Amino acid sequence: MKKKVLSIMLTCMLSLGILAGCGSGDSPASGSHYDSAPPTSQDVGTQADTPATDLGYIYTANGVDVAVKASMEPIVAAWGEPDKYFESESCAFQGMDKVYTYGSVVISTYPENDKDYVLTIELKDDTITTAEGIYIGSAKADVTAAYGTATSETDVALVYEKGDCQLTFFFEDDCVTNITYAAIMN
Amino acid sequence: MKNKRITAVFLVLILTLGSLYVLQRLLVPKYQTGIVEGSMVEEYYKDESDHEVLFIGDCEVYENFSTITLWEKYGITSYIRGSAQQLTWQSYYLLEDALKYETPKVVVFNVLALKYNEPQNEAYNRMSIDGMKWFMSKINNIKASMTEEENFIDYVFPLLRYHSRWSELTGDDFKHLFSKNLVTHNGYYMRVDSKAQSEFPDPRPLADYTLGEKAMGYMQKMVNLCKEKGIKIILIKAPTEYPHWYDEWDAQVVEFAKNNNVEYINYIPLQDEIGLDMSVDTYDAGLHLNTSGAEKMADYFGAYLKANYDLTDYRDNEKYVAIWQEKVDFYNAMKAQQYDELETYGELVSFGANAIED
């Protein structure tokens, strides 16, 4: 009889042990997003020697490469305090969405595992150019010459996708009016 | 001998299942302090009275309309079936679920969620789905909402998802193992603190302003469902200005409303008429209204509902008066507690982000 009681207890303990013992990932309610491990680029940082393979299109300024889904920390460290800063708490405290404005560059971030990662990079005027030499005011023909055939096109924009990045050029009268790098999520 | 074996096997089974059940109850998040939004969907079932007005949607309904003001000023019985970042298909299935229990006269749906056409993230999915009772609406909601990383089985057996919460357990997990407190006022999430609206970033241009087919399709299903049941549906855009609501999106909703012969009201341009002062009527710099703002919004909306829909003023009905007096008392008690904390500590300590337990 003792053996039976022992085997019952062992079975119960084993079942609980199997369930409780594996892993220690965040729960969805822990205040961080569930999305498992951040993309590989996030740990690489954003310095000029960052490999470009997984990052898609990269915006470079003052010796710093800024890529979507990359950590915001080294950018703030390199560029210092932004000219303008805005933050908004997401519903149910799933982190802060932040917007940093550095002159004509606006970077928005998303939170993950208590860190901020680049969601979008927006170029606002003709004082800055993309790594491929396109700026606000460039002609549509210059964009296709530099980037080739767009992944998709709408009435107002050409959209290029590479890696985790969607690069969009907006046009008015065939002139670029806005350039946005955006992270492709999910 | 054979009987003993059967008894032993049966005992093992009962003990194992019982242990797993208790373990699951312990490990699933309770959403009782700090992040209370995960309790909202489940809390609806505790409210046994019926409602003539049912709000459906995201934080733009559950933080912006005081259900108690609707009652006190107009005798309107209402409930907000809201949840954090509630996606349009989740709104549809929550509405379908609610209509199993009651048939309101008016359903109000906030349109901001139309901007999302794909599942977004598990944390919000869990808060919108886990609390639902197990009917087809929940199953279909899970199927429509899951991100690529999620598994259906994790919703059926939450223990599979939450088994690693051992290290995150707090006092709340033990205290609310088998029972939960109310965290809302008929779905309304109270915040009395105030933080003035600041300048928002310029909205980014979009390559394509077309609202997604899936989101629009589920709004169509909501409208169809309401029409089938003889319920009036009102589409609204709450008066808060961030996240940005593009004119191009607005035009599509206006067109949709016209084609379906339903009402759509965008309250953003009506802030002044409502009486909102965004230097005091918001607790998070303009994203959501605080209680003074939500009471103004409810007052304005209640007058509109009263004037345009055939709603009952239940303030003369003893049965409803008794039910709602309890709700009013709970509302006033929480309000007093929050004002108390503001006076004592300069901020809320038992509510919101400060109350999240480590």
Side-chain angles (χ1 to χ4, degrees), chain A residues 93-148:
Chain A
F93 315 108
Q94 297 303 299
M96 287 278 191
D97 298 321
K98 300 175 181 175
V99 182
Y100 299 78
T101 304
Y102 291 98
S104 308
V105 184
V106 180
I107 300 175
S108 68
T109 65
Y110 63 96
E112 195 163 276
N113 302 329
D114 297 328
K115 282 187 173 181
D116 297 316
Y117 298 97
V118 176
L119 179 67
T120 64
I121 308 152
E122 198 183 347
L123 311 188
K124 305 276 280 187
D125 67 28
D126 61 1
T127 60
I128 44 182
T129 67
T130 68
E132 291 78 9
I134 300 299
Y135 54 91
I136 307 296
S138 289
K140 197 170 187 175
D142 296 335
V143 174
T144 50
Y147 290 91

Side-chain angles (χ1 to χ4, degrees), chain B residues 196-342:
Chain B
Q197 180 169 306
S198 56
E199 188 188 348
F200 297 127
D202 292 337
R204 274 191 306 113
L206 304 181
D208 187 357
Y209 291 89
T210 312
L211 292 166
E213 271 181 33
K214 180 175 176 179
M216 291 297 278
Y218 273 98
M219 183 161 73
Q220 183 69 62
K221 280 168 74 105
M222 262 188 273
V223 169
N224 295 347
L225 183 60
C226 285
K227 283 184 176 174
E228 268 171 38
K229 302 262 182 185
I231 300 165
K232 302 280 186 194
I233 183 165
I234 307 173
L235 310 177
I236 60 156
K237 169 63 193 77
T240 38
E241 296 170 72
Y242 191 88
H244 189 71
W245 179 247
Y246 293 91
D247 289 344
E248 291 84 349
W249 291 350
D250 198 62
Q252 289 165 71
V253 180
V254 168
E255 184 69 15
F256 174 91
K258 192 177 150 198
N259 291 341
N260 284 277
N261 198 24
V262 298
E263 205 169 0
Y264 168 55
I265 309 166
N266 179 352
Y267 284 104
I268 296 172
L270 299 177
Q271 276 189 4
D272 289 343
E273 202 177 310
I274 296 163
L276 292 173
D277 173 356
M278 296 306 277
S279 66
V280 293
D281 288 331
T282 164
Y283 74 88
D284 55 3
L287 276 71
H288 307 100
L289 300 181
N290 60 12
T291 301
S292 69
E295 288 178 349
K296 287 177 186 174
M297 186 66 224
D299 188 7
Y300 185 87
F301 190 57
Y304 179 81
L305 285 173
K306 248 348 213 197
N308 293 282
Y309 293 87
D310 180 28
L311 299 179
T312 316
D313 183 343
Y314 281 106
R315 285 175 296 180
D316 295 330
N317 183 313
E318 279 181 25
K319 180 186 147 200
Y320 284 93
V321 168
I323 291 169
W324 279 84
Q325 190 53 51
E326 250 184 67
K327 296 174 189 295
V328 171
D329 292 344
F330 175 45
Y331 184 84
N332 288 335
M334 187 183 281
K335 209 175 185 180
Q337 187 189 350
Q338 292 199 4
Y339 277 122
D340 242 19
E341 289 189 5
L342 279 184

